[in-house]
Amino acid sequence: MVLEKDMADNQSKTRAALARLCTEMTPQRFVLDSGLTVLVSEMPQFKGVHAVFGTRFGSADKSFSLDGQTVELPEGVAHFLEHKLFEDENGNDAFELFSATGASANAFTSFDKTCFLFSATDEIEKNLRILLDFVLHPYFSEKTVQKEQGIIAQEIRMYQDSPEFRMTFGLLGNLYHVCPVRSDIAGTVESIQKITPEMLYRCCEAFYAPDNMVLSVAGNVTARQVLEVCNGVKIAPSGHRLQRQKLQEPDTVFAKEKILKMQVSQPVWGIGYKGPGALGGEVKNELICDFITELLAGETSPLYNRLYDENLINAGFGGEYLSGPGYCSLIFGGETPDPKALQAAFEAEVQRLLKNGVDEEQFLCTKNQMLGQAIMGLESIEDVATDQAAVFLRGHSLYDEVEQLSALTARDVEAMLPTLLDREKCATILIMPTDNDGE
Amino acid sequence: MKRETIAPGVALTAIPADSFKSCRISLNFIVKGDRRTATAQALLPMVMERGWLECPDMQVLSRQLARLYGANLTVCGGTLGPNRTVTVSISGIRDEYAVGGENLLAEYLRLVFGVAFRPDVKDGAFSRDAVRVEKEKLKQLQKSEINDKRIYCLRQARRKFYGTDVAGLEKYGYPEDVGSITPEGLYATWLDMVTTAQLEVMALGVDGGTVRDRLLQELAGIRRQPVALNMPHAMPVGQTRFYEEPVDATQGKLCMLFTQRQTMTPEKLPAMRLAIALLGGTPTSRLFMNVREKKSLCYYCSASFSVIASCLSIDSGINTADAEKTRLAILSEMENLTNQPVSARELDGAVRYLTNALESVSDSLSGLEGWYLSEISRGTLKSPEQVLKELKAVTPQQVTQAMESFSLSVVYLLKGNGTDDCEEEML
């Protein structure tokens, strides 16, 4: 009887905790006449407000048709546009406008989205107006585009010096033939020279249309405040027809191996697995990918602990997944004194996992860990605003993830292992120290 | 916020933070910096983080933490001016969010105090295997700084800036000292830490009384003899020293370190905060707007100030060919800030930026903890609201005066080769 009561108590606590999460993870949602979606999480216990204005336009969008006309973009346009939108026709910088209110502003571009953001504790309405205004009123000239090419070239060079960055994009370059995720989000020093003001205006018409965007706000603000600002800013509905064009990516990998030389203290080794592109962007598949990275290379995994103690890896070793429309891959890697031994051990562990299946204890631990991470994400206005914008742009919600995580079983993960860890669709990269560095 | 002295050299700061989903407890041991023990003190947190007496196995501990909804238990080493720190901390979701109804706080306390006060020690020595493995990891850490050229440039500049001064002790110790550390010697380092360190315990979103009781229990078994810490000091003013080092990188790095004539006193800090924000602490600072945006000389150019070291640092990612132009442009911005009046509009913008930052301190556990630990280390213990009042009273003249006190000590240039033609082979 006692046991039954305890079980009932626990089930009731579980239901209560999940119900609370559902409430806290569900923002108020509005769709304006212009087609813009507005998400607001009122969090009055905080002093600040974080706002994210995002669009479904990232480095993976290289080819599209607008009103029936095909547009092909060089690499790096979405990121270039992110930089350029901060400047208006009078040469004013949006950073300066935010600065006058004390707000802290920034922006970022990923494979599938571009987001502009600010954090502030004061003059929230004014900051929201600045945000909407500069993003929706672009101005480009030959001169300003040329100036930005110099700054972005510096940024590209900076990342070229990062071994982690070279490992990730080296692997993606090996895995994919034509999918744009194989290239640096910022493009190359050469590709950004091809960008013109006309090209940027065309991209704004196509992707900075309200029905392709979301405004996500979290913190000490009310939905009413946010809507009043939105209604006071003229946001015209899009008058254009956008069609994204997907490049036909073959199932095979582009190259099995690549070796680079850089000034690093010891070799860096990485391995990537290319999954079917159709799996990309789906919540359940992303959760499964997340599980696989932890099961294979996380701190709870037998492989990580064994290799760490054998000094084949250090604490920086790990895995991650990349997933979006048309791409889904897993990558693992880190520094090692003996890349051959690491590769042999890693591939043997993959075969063991495929043969023996998922360890139930590790699965349950990992599930709790992922649930905890989702809960922790709710205590920061930055995380809430950013995450709810990101999941909206991908077509789902924050609570979808918790709900699907709760329902996920070790068998679900096992069923996907052969597809996501296919030996025929894997590639490696090795970064070796330049001759004067290694021992 | 409530701070109380629990025992000589031991204080507990409890910060109510009930609006957060998580809570955090950190035990900050502050020990006197010393070249002879720096490497063992760098190794100690790495060995401690692997496990403790009740759970020496790293994988088992990782799974325990994952089961506790991904609680984060860390042991970190660091430097604090001329002294060193070892921080044992745990953070995780609060009990009311435990989907399975677990008593998480009890587990957090057991783990964080266990790792700090009951390490995996037998017969007066840490586990030989653990020490052997972590010594290798420490050697790798020492060597790996070259992988990140920005950090490498800053550290190289810092080495020239401090020379052999105790304030410049290496965070990861010294390669030549790693080999001689024994499991017995490392235990002696731990024992020295728990008996002589100043201990600052932070409890955020956790009942202070519960942490206090637990702390007193732990301290009851230790004969504490706290030792006075090294006093912070400014490095002397001298002729500027220039260094260049070629690296195999596409981008060059330029780091400039300035010293003050004397150690910063607390009453001058508000003006200094504003001066740094104006110079290079914000996206509209003079370095960002003029050196990066207008002159396109770099991708980043920012300034930061270490109160404890009285050191101003400006670092920048550049085209190596533009190094001299960038250096002169930075110095020109410094000079303008010193010689020309700051407009009320510009000052107001900086005050607003810092107001935003100060008001946001209470919006995260890490913000609150970082703020109060910094205040404690400076001996000021002011709230963000108090500091905000002080900032609003700063005059443009005081900002100018704050910048006058700096003298350029070290210029360190990493000369990138400007190309990304690293050898590449596709197989």
Side-chain angles (χ1 to χ4, degrees), chain A residues 286-306:
Chain A
E286 289 183 354
L287 288 170
I288 288 171
C289 287
D290 214 358
F291 266 99
I292 295 174
T293 59
E294 180 62 33
L295 296 173
L296 266 175
E299 289 180 16
T300 59
S301 73
L303 180 74
Y304 175 94
N305 286 278
R306 180 164 60 81

Side-chain angles (χ1 to χ4, degrees), chain A residues 6-68:
Chain A
D6 281 351
M7 277 175 64
D9 277 355
N10 278 343
Q11 281 171 1
S12 150
K13 280 180 183 171
T14 302
R15 275 197 301 273
L18 285 173
R20 180 187 292 158
L21 282 179
C22 180
T23 308
E24 296 194 20
M25 285 181 162
T26 308
Q28 297 181 61
R29 181 174 166 173
F30 310 90
V31 181
L32 309 184
D33 292 344
S34 61
L36 176 68
T37 296
V38 178
L39 305 173
V40 184
S41 282
E42 296 182 1
M43 298 163 77
Q45 70 274 32
F46 289 84
K47 288 192 175 160
V49 172
H50 192 77
V52 177
F53 194 20
T55 173
R56 285 185 199 90
F57 179 41
S59 66
D61 296 296
K62 273 192 67 194
S63 179
F64 61 94
S65 100
L66 189 65
D67 303 328

